[in-house]
Amino acid sequence: MDMINDLAPLAPELVIQLEKHEQKRENMFKGNAKIPYVRPEEDPVLNDFKREMLFHRQAQAAVLEGIKRLHAAGIVTRRPDDYFAEMAKSDEHMQKVRKNLMAKQEGQAKSERIKQIREQRKMGKLLAKQTKVQREMEKKDMLDKLKKFRKGKLKNLDFLDYAKALESQKKKSADKRKQRNKKFGFGGKKKGLKRNTKSSAGGYEKVKNFRKGSKASSSGSKRLGKSRRVKAKSKK
């Protein structure tokens, strides 16, 4: 069937692809001074791309027009669902091809797993090395601070882990002591200490009588006033 037809319309995605291709070529010329600049309409790469695009559009238009003519002539263009084409190669050969493809896929998957394991080992070794270096630096820093403390340049032991733990333990015990003092008082129970008991009230009368006797004896030896002392002297 001979046909003469125009080009098929250019799809929007192909237009975008062509513009991206032109921009990419232009950026390549700008970024590399060793390559001589070529205008887009004279660029052989772009011309090849456009030429392939023309072939594609020509074939697309021919297919669309040819299917219409075949349908008009009553020619079937689709195979029936129960159509079985004769294979050019035997089933045994295709099984061999399938086995080879499966073996290649398994080999690629195995190599990928081996690469991942190697990368994980490298990362593990790197992390272990970094951890070791960090611990050595911390140990060196602690020893330097310990030397300074021995020489008297430092006055605290905060850089030691056990010192920090001891300080936190002391703080916890102090907080517990505060809570107990707040609840029970300082040094034990204080409420009701001024109340009398049987033992304290038993000797109260003796103390009272002793105070009365002391007052009587002291009242007998009371000093006279000045006028009376003067009169007593004049009588003598």
Side-chain angles (χ1 to χ4, degrees):
M1 182 183 294
D2 297 331
M3 288 185 298
I4 299 174
N5 52 2
D6 296 330
L7 299 176
L10 190 62
E13 57 269 15
L14 293 178
V15 175
I16 296 172
Q17 186 178 0
L18 183 61
E19 291 178 356
K20 288 183 178 179
H21 198 58
E22 291 179 356
Q23 187 66 33
K24 183 178 179 181
R25 291 287 295 176
E26 187 175 357
N27 294 336
M28 186 178 67
F29 284 123
K30 289 181 179 179
N32 194 349
K34 296 181 180 179
I35 301 175
Y37 178 74
V38 181
R39 291 184 297 176
E41 57 271 12
E42 297 177 359
D43 190 358
V45 177
L46 288 177
N47 290 336
D48 290 342
F49 183 73
K50 291 178 181 179
R51 191 179 300 110
E52 293 292 335
M53 192 74 67
L54 292 175
F55 293 157
H56 174 76
R57 293 170 64 189
Q58 184 70 39
Q60 186 180 6
V63 169
L64 294 174
E65 184 65 24
I67 288 176
K68 290 180 181 179
R69 293 186 183 184
L70 290 173
H71 287 173
I75 300 173
V76 181
T77 58
R78 295 187 62 183
R79 291 179 179 178
D81 296 335
D82 57 350
Y83 179 83
F84 293 98
E86 185 179 356
M87 297 294 294
K89 296 182 180 180
S90 62
D91 293 340
E92 294 179 358
H93 182 78
M94 296 305 297
Q95 288 294 332
K96 289 181 181 179
V97 173
R98 184 173 179 275
K99 287 181 181 179
N100 290 332
L101 292 175
M102 293 295 292
K104 286 183 180 180
Q105 290 180 358
E106 290 178 358
Q108 290 178 357
K110 188 176 180 180
S111 63
E112 288 293 332
R113 286 198 298 270
I114 292 172
K115 286 181 181 179
Q116 290 179 0
I117 292 171
R118 287 177 181 173
E119 291 294 330
Q120 290 176 0
R121 287 179 180 176
K122 287 182 181 179
M123 291 298 295
K125 289 181 180 179
L126 183 62
L127 291 174
K129 188 176 180 180
Q130 290 178 355
T131 305
K132 185 178 179 181
V133 172
Q134 185 177 1
R135 288 179 180 175
E136 289 178 355
M137 291 177 64
E138 290 177 355
K139 185 177 180 181
K140 184 179 179 181
D141 189 19
M142 186 183 69
L143 292 175
D144 293 340
K145 289 182 178 180
L146 187 61
K147 289 180 181 179
K148 290 181 180 179
F149 176 77
R150 288 176 178 175
K151 292 179 180 179
K153 295 181 180 180
L154 291 177
K155 296 182 179 180
N156 53 10
L157 294 173
D158 294 339
F159 57 91
L160 297 176
D161 294 337
Y162 71 88
K164 292 181 180 179
L166 184 62
E167 185 178 356
S168 62
Q169 187 176 1
K170 287 182 179 179
K171 187 176 180 182
K172 288 181 180 179
S173 61
D175 293 339
K176 288 182 180 179
R177 182 74 268 170
K178 287 180 181 179
Q179 293 294 331
R180 289 175 182 173
N181 291 339
K182 186 177 180 181
K183 185 176 181 180
F184 303 107
F186 296 91
K189 185 179 178 182
K190 297 291 191 297
K191 188 176 181 180
L193 288 178
K194 294 184 179 181
R195 290 182 180 179
N196 288 328
T197 60
K198 187 176 181 180
S199 59
S200 64
Y204 180 71
E205 294 295 334
K206 295 180 181 179
V207 174
K208 189 175 181 181
N209 294 333
F210 174 77
R211 286 181 179 177
K212 285 182 178 180
S214 63
K215 283 183 179 180
S217 61
S218 63
S219 61
S221 61
K222 187 176 181 181
R223 187 181 181 186
L224 299 174
K226 186 176 181 180
S227 59
R228 294 179 68 181
R229 280 188 276 118
V230 171
K231 288 180 181 180
K233 285 183 180 181
S234 61
K235 287 180 181 181
K236 291 179 180 180

